[in-house]
Protein backbone atom coordinates (compact mmCIF):
# COMPACT_ATOMS: atom_id res chain seq x y z
CA UNK A 1 0.00 0.00 0.00
CA UNK A 2 1.48 3.37 -1.03
CA UNK A 3 1.34 6.50 1.09
CA UNK A 4 -1.41 8.98 0.30
CA UNK A 5 -0.27 11.95 -1.79
CA UNK A 6 0.33 15.36 -0.23
CA UNK A 7 -2.88 17.35 -0.70
CA UNK A 8 -2.34 20.95 -1.85
CA UNK A 9 -4.60 24.00 -2.09
CA UNK A 10 -3.54 26.70 -4.57
CA UNK A 11 -4.45 30.29 -3.70
CA UNK A 12 -3.74 33.06 -6.21
CA UNK A 13 -5.94 35.59 -7.97
CA UNK A 14 -4.25 34.88 -11.31
CA UNK A 15 -5.59 31.80 -13.04
CA UNK A 16 -2.47 31.36 -15.16
CA UNK A 17 -0.29 31.27 -12.05
CA UNK A 18 -2.49 28.60 -10.50
CA UNK A 19 -2.43 26.63 -13.74
CA UNK A 20 1.37 26.73 -13.88
CA UNK A 21 1.73 25.56 -10.29
CA UNK A 22 -0.82 22.78 -10.85
CA UNK A 23 1.07 21.48 -13.88
CA UNK A 24 4.35 21.34 -11.96
CA UNK A 25 2.89 19.79 -8.82
CA UNK A 26 0.66 17.19 -10.41
CA UNK A 27 3.58 15.87 -12.47
CA UNK A 28 4.81 14.39 -9.17
CA UNK A 29 3.17 11.11 -8.05
CA UNK A 30 3.24 12.08 -4.37
CA UNK A 31 1.54 15.48 -4.84
CA UNK A 32 -2.13 16.25 -5.60
CA UNK A 33 -3.89 19.60 -6.02
CA UNK A 34 -7.25 19.30 -4.26
CA UNK A 35 -8.56 22.83 -4.79
CA UNK A 36 -7.98 26.36 -6.05
CA UNK A 37 -9.00 29.73 -4.63
CA UNK A 38 -8.83 33.17 -6.23
CA UNK A 39 -8.93 35.24 -3.01
CA UNK A 40 -8.21 34.92 0.68
CA UNK A 41 -11.81 34.52 1.79
CA UNK A 42 -12.30 31.61 -0.58
CA UNK A 43 -9.03 30.14 0.69
CA UNK A 44 -10.28 30.18 4.29
CA UNK A 45 -13.52 28.48 3.25
CA UNK A 46 -11.85 25.86 1.07
CA UNK A 47 -9.19 25.04 3.64
CA UNK A 48 -11.90 24.14 6.15
CA UNK A 49 -13.75 22.16 3.48
CA UNK A 50 -11.01 20.10 1.81
CA UNK A 51 -8.42 20.02 4.65
CA UNK A 52 -5.27 20.25 2.51
CA UNK A 53 -1.86 19.22 3.85
CA UNK A 54 -0.25 22.36 2.40
CA UNK A 55 -1.65 25.70 1.23
CA UNK A 56 0.27 27.77 -1.34
CA UNK A 57 -0.90 31.29 -0.48
CA UNK A 58 -0.40 34.46 -2.53
CA UNK A 59 -0.21 37.65 -0.44
CA UNK A 60 -1.75 40.31 -2.67
CA UNK A 61 -5.34 39.32 -3.47
CA UNK A 62 -8.78 40.94 -3.57
CA UNK A 63 -11.48 40.49 -0.87
CA UNK A 64 -8.99 39.22 1.74
CA UNK A 65 -5.20 39.30 1.47
CA UNK A 66 -3.00 36.28 2.06
CA UNK A 67 -1.67 37.41 5.42
CA UNK A 68 -5.11 37.81 6.98
CA UNK A 69 -6.26 34.57 5.33
CA UNK A 70 -3.24 32.80 6.83
CA UNK A 71 -4.01 34.23 10.26
CA UNK A 72 -7.64 33.07 10.10
CA UNK A 73 -6.73 29.59 8.88
CA UNK A 74 -4.12 29.08 11.61
CA UNK A 75 -6.48 30.37 14.31
CA UNK A 76 -9.03 27.74 13.26
CA UNK A 77 -6.52 24.98 12.57
CA UNK A 78 -3.16 25.44 14.35
CA UNK A 79 -1.77 22.46 12.44
CA UNK A 80 -2.32 24.06 9.03
CA UNK A 81 0.78 24.29 6.84
CA UNK A 82 0.99 27.38 4.65
CA UNK A 83 3.64 28.62 2.22
CA UNK A 84 3.45 32.30 1.36
CA UNK A 85 4.00 33.13 -2.32
CA UNK A 86 5.84 36.40 -2.86
CA UNK A 87 7.26 38.31 -5.81
CA UNK A 88 10.33 39.72 -4.09
CA UNK A 89 12.90 38.03 -1.85
CA UNK A 90 12.71 39.34 1.75
CA UNK A 91 9.40 41.03 0.97
CA UNK A 92 7.70 42.57 4.02
CA UNK A 93 4.56 40.64 3.10
CA UNK A 94 6.49 37.38 3.38
CA UNK A 95 7.59 38.32 6.89
CA UNK A 96 4.01 39.25 7.78
CA UNK A 97 2.89 35.85 6.55
CA UNK A 98 5.40 34.09 8.79
CA UNK A 99 4.24 36.15 11.76
CA UNK A 100 0.67 35.16 10.91
CA UNK A 101 1.59 31.47 11.12
CA UNK A 102 2.95 30.42 7.73
CA UNK A 103 5.72 27.82 7.65
CA UNK A 104 7.80 29.50 4.99
CA UNK A 105 7.76 31.54 1.84
CA UNK A 106 8.58 30.94 -1.79
CA UNK A 107 9.26 33.26 -4.69
CA UNK A 108 6.67 33.03 -7.45
CA UNK A 109 9.43 32.52 -10.01
CA UNK A 110 11.00 29.67 -8.04
CA UNK A 111 12.27 26.72 -10.04
CA UNK A 112 9.98 23.66 -10.21
CA UNK A 113 12.34 21.65 -7.99
CA UNK A 114 12.28 24.45 -5.39
CA UNK A 115 8.48 24.50 -5.41
CA UNK A 116 8.24 20.74 -5.07
CA UNK A 117 10.90 20.63 -2.35
CA UNK A 118 9.18 23.39 -0.36
CA UNK A 119 5.83 21.59 -0.45
CA UNK A 120 7.37 18.31 0.66
CA UNK A 121 9.37 20.00 3.43
CA UNK A 122 6.38 21.83 4.87
CA UNK A 123 4.18 18.74 4.64
CA UNK A 124 6.84 16.89 6.67
CA UNK A 125 6.76 19.59 9.37
CA UNK A 126 9.90 21.43 8.34
CA UNK A 127 10.17 25.08 7.32
CA UNK A 128 10.46 26.18 3.71
CA UNK A 129 13.07 28.86 4.23
CA UNK A 130 16.85 28.66 4.30
CA UNK A 131 18.95 29.60 7.30
CA UNK A 132 20.64 32.35 5.27
CA UNK A 133 17.30 33.91 4.35
CA UNK A 134 16.05 33.53 7.92
CA UNK A 135 19.00 35.52 9.23
CA UNK A 136 18.78 38.19 6.56
CA UNK A 137 15.03 38.61 6.89
CA UNK A 138 15.03 38.93 10.66
CA UNK A 139 17.97 41.31 10.61
CA UNK A 140 16.02 43.47 8.16
CA UNK A 141 12.84 43.50 10.24
CA UNK A 142 14.27 43.20 13.76
CA UNK A 143 13.47 46.84 14.47
CA UNK A 144 9.81 46.20 13.75
CA UNK A 145 9.53 43.24 16.10
CA UNK A 146 8.19 43.80 19.60
CA UNK A 147 11.11 44.70 21.83
CA UNK A 148 10.56 41.66 24.01
CA UNK A 149 11.72 41.27 27.57
CA UNK A 150 14.83 39.44 28.63
CA UNK A 151 14.68 37.00 31.56
CA UNK A 152 16.76 39.41 33.63
CA UNK A 153 14.24 42.21 33.18
CA UNK A 154 11.13 40.28 34.18
CA UNK A 155 12.46 37.48 36.35
CA UNK A 156 10.78 35.03 33.97
CA UNK A 157 12.77 32.90 31.57
CA UNK A 158 10.58 32.15 28.52
CA UNK A 159 12.82 29.16 27.74
CA UNK A 160 12.87 27.80 31.30
CA UNK A 161 11.42 24.46 30.18
CA UNK A 162 14.51 23.74 28.08
CA UNK A 163 17.61 21.87 29.19
CA UNK A 164 20.94 23.73 28.80
CA UNK A 165 21.65 21.82 25.58
CA UNK A 166 18.18 22.55 24.20
CA UNK A 167 18.65 26.21 24.99
CA UNK A 168 21.90 26.18 23.02
CA UNK A 169 20.05 24.55 20.15
CA UNK A 170 17.31 27.21 20.29
CA UNK A 171 19.87 30.02 20.12
CA UNK A 172 21.63 28.30 17.22
CA UNK A 173 18.30 28.00 15.40
CA UNK A 174 17.81 31.68 16.12
CA UNK A 175 21.06 32.41 14.34
CA UNK A 176 19.65 30.64 11.30
CA UNK A 177 22.01 27.64 11.46
CA UNK A 178 21.07 24.43 9.68
CA UNK A 179 21.05 21.07 11.48
CA UNK A 180 24.42 20.28 9.93
CA UNK A 181 25.90 23.58 11.12
CA UNK A 182 24.49 23.07 14.61
CA UNK A 183 25.95 19.56 14.69
CA UNK A 184 29.37 20.87 13.69
CA UNK A 185 29.27 23.57 16.39
CA UNK A 186 28.32 21.23 19.22
CA UNK A 187 29.93 18.01 17.92
CA UNK A 188 26.58 16.27 17.51
CA UNK A 189 25.25 14.05 14.75
CA UNK A 190 22.49 15.51 12.57
CA UNK A 191 20.04 12.91 13.88
CA UNK A 192 20.79 14.02 17.46
CA UNK A 193 20.35 17.66 16.47
CA UNK A 194 17.02 16.81 14.83
CA UNK A 195 15.89 15.16 18.07
CA UNK A 196 16.87 18.23 20.10
CA UNK A 197 15.13 20.55 17.64
CA UNK A 198 11.95 18.49 17.92
CA UNK A 199 12.05 18.72 21.71
CA UNK A 200 12.62 22.48 21.62
CA UNK A 201 9.63 22.98 19.32
CA UNK A 202 7.45 20.68 21.42
CA UNK A 203 8.34 22.23 24.78
CA UNK A 204 7.85 25.79 23.53
CA UNK A 205 4.78 24.83 21.49
CA UNK A 206 6.24 26.25 18.30
CA UNK A 207 5.12 25.25 14.82
CA UNK A 208 8.56 24.96 13.21
CA UNK A 209 12.09 26.37 13.27
CA UNK A 210 11.07 29.66 11.61
CA UNK A 211 8.80 30.33 14.56
CA UNK A 212 11.59 29.29 16.90
CA UNK A 213 13.67 32.10 15.38
CA UNK A 214 10.83 34.58 15.88
CA UNK A 215 10.34 33.34 19.47
CA UNK A 216 14.01 33.89 20.26
CA UNK A 217 13.96 37.43 18.86
CA UNK A 218 10.67 38.41 20.49
CA UNK A 219 11.80 37.23 23.92
CA UNK A 220 15.16 38.98 23.83
CA UNK A 221 17.16 35.76 23.73
CA UNK A 222 19.31 36.94 20.83
CA UNK A 223 21.43 40.01 20.37
CA UNK A 224 19.95 42.38 17.81
Amino acid sequence: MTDAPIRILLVDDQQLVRMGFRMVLEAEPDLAVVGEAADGAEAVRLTAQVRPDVVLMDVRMPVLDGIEATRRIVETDPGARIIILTTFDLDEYAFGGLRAGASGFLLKDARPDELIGAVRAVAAGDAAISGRVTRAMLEMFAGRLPSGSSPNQTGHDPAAALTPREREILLAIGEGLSNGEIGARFYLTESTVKTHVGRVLSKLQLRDRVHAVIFAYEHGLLER
Side-chain angles (χ1 to χ4, degrees):
M1 181 176 178
T2 59
D3 293 333
I6 298 169
R7 295 160 47 82
I8 305 157
L9 175 66
L10 301 178
V11 185
D12 196 291
D13 61 339
Q14 299 181 51
Q15 184 176 4
L16 287 177
V17 171
R18 299 197 307 271
M19 186 182 302
F21 281 139
R22 178 184 281 272
M23 289 177 62
V24 170
L25 295 168
E26 293 200 326
E28 300 297 314
D30 62 328
L31 306 179
V33 176
V34 295
E36 296 184 20
D39 61 66
E42 188 178 7
V44 174
R45 180 182 62 79
L46 277 179
T47 299
Q49 179 179 323
V50 304
R51 309 289 293 181
D53 299 308
V54 177
V55 180
L56 286 174
M57 179 79 74
D58 188 21
V59 286
R60 298 174 179 86
M61 294 182 294
V63 184
L64 190 70
D65 67 43
I67 296 176
E68 181 58 30
T70 294
R71 184 175 294 108
R72 294 186 188 184
I73 289 171
V74 171
E75 283 178 354
T76 302
D77 179 10
R81 299 291 174 182
I82 300 170
I83 299 174
I84 292 292
L85 298 173
T86 144
T87 305
F88 302 104
D89 197 1
L90 304 184
D91 190 304
E92 184 172 0
Y93 286 97
F95 181 74
L98 295 178
R99 291 292 306 279
S103 296
F105 72 86
L106 192 67
L107 295 179
K108 280 192 173 184
D109 61 356
R111 299 190 311 270
D113 61 306
E114 292 175 328
L115 171 64
I116 293 164
V119 168
R120 288 173 176 158
V122 168
D126 295 327
I129 180 171
S130 71
R132 179 191 63 79
V133 172
T134 301
R135 288 193 296 270
M137 183 177 61
L138 286 177
E139 284 170 5
M140 177 178 289
F141 293 107
R144 305 184 192 187
L145 287 169
S147 59
S149 297
S150 70
N152 292 334
Q153 291 172 318
T154 65
H156 170 66
D157 182 355
L162 303 182
T163 66
R165 173 63 79 191
E166 289 165 353
R167 189 184 187 91
E168 290 176 333
I169 298 294
L170 171 62
L171 298 181
I173 294 172
E175 293 177 37
L177 299 186
S178 67
N179 285 354
E181 291 168 334
I182 294 173
R185 173 178 290 185
F186 299 116
Y187 304 100
L188 301 171
T189 64
E190 286 200 41
S191 61
T192 299
V193 172
K194 188 173 182 179
T195 298
H196 283 308
V197 170
R199 288 173 179 164
V200 168
L201 299 180
S202 177
K203 287 183 177 182
L204 299 181
Q205 298 183 323
L206 300 171
R207 292 168 54 80
D208 50 45
R209 62 194 304 136
V210 168
H211 295 94
V213 176
I214 294 174
F215 175 93
Y217 268 80
E218 288 185 327
H219 289 87
L221 300 178
L222 294 171
E223 293 292 335
R224 292 187 180 170

